[in-house]
Structure formats: C-alpha cells, structure tokens
Amino acid sequence: FYFAEDRSLIEAQCDVALPATRDGTSVDFIDLELDLIVKGDGSHYLRDFREFAENRVRMEYSDETVAGARSALLEALRLYR
C-alpha cells in the first residue's frame, strides 16, 4: 500500500506468488511477477505479463504453476470487483 501525506490511498498492489516457506527465522517466497494494481480513485490494471512469461522460461515454471498463477490473479481481480 502507498499512501499520500493526508493518508489517502495512492496505490495498492497484490502480488501473485508461490506459497511462502519458513526456515528457522526466515520466510521466503517467489514472486511470480503478476500484479493487480488498484489506484486511489478505484481504477485498476494488471501488470507484468511480459516478466512472468520471461521468468516462466528462465525458471522453468510448470504448467500447473502457470495455471495457478493465472487463476490467482483472476481471483484477486474478482475479489476486488
């Protein structure tokens, strides 16, 4: 969340990520790059599809991971609307 000095919302961001893992005192996760961005005026957009596609190849995301990421992004959008 990003707020102005008057505490009004500038922007909120929902990242699609793999489930977090915990190892002792650290929590790690992989951000899959897909994001839902909501502006303070209520408008919204989806971003980072190119980065997601590039990382899919580079990091060898499984078809299941890709389908889950897309489904999660659509669910975030559904919940927002």
Side-chain angles (χ1 to χ4, degrees), residues 2 4-7 13-14 16 20 25 30-32 34 41 46-50 58 61 64 68 71 80:
Y2 302 98
E5 286 186 28
D6 67 0
R7 297 186 178 187
Q13 178 174 325
C14 177
V16 174
T25 59
I30 296 174
D31 182 348
L32 296 175
L34 296 174
D41 65 3
L46 306 175
R47 83 171 173 205
D48 294 339
F49 287 94
R50 181 179 16 197
R58 187 171 56 91
Y61 296 158
E64 181 181 15
S71 177
Y80 170 69

Side-chain angles (χ1 to χ4, degrees), residues 5-59:
E5 286 186 28
D6 67 0
R7 297 186 178 187
S8 61
L9 179 68
I10 295 173
E11 179 178 285
Q13 178 174 325
C14 177
D15 295 339
V16 174
L18 293 178
T21 58
R22 186 173 169 189
D23 181 22
T25 59
S26 68
V27 176
D28 297 308
F29 66 94
I30 296 174
D31 182 348
L32 296 175
E33 303 302 336
L34 296 174
D35 303 314
L36 167 62
I37 307 299
V38 177
K39 305 300 275 183
D41 65 3
S43 62
H44 64 280
Y45 62 96
L46 306 175
R47 83 171 173 205
D48 294 339
F49 287 94
R50 181 179 16 197
E51 289 84 351
F52 177 72
E54 290 169 356
N55 285 344
R56 177 184 185 181
V57 173
R58 187 171 56 91
M59 298 179 73

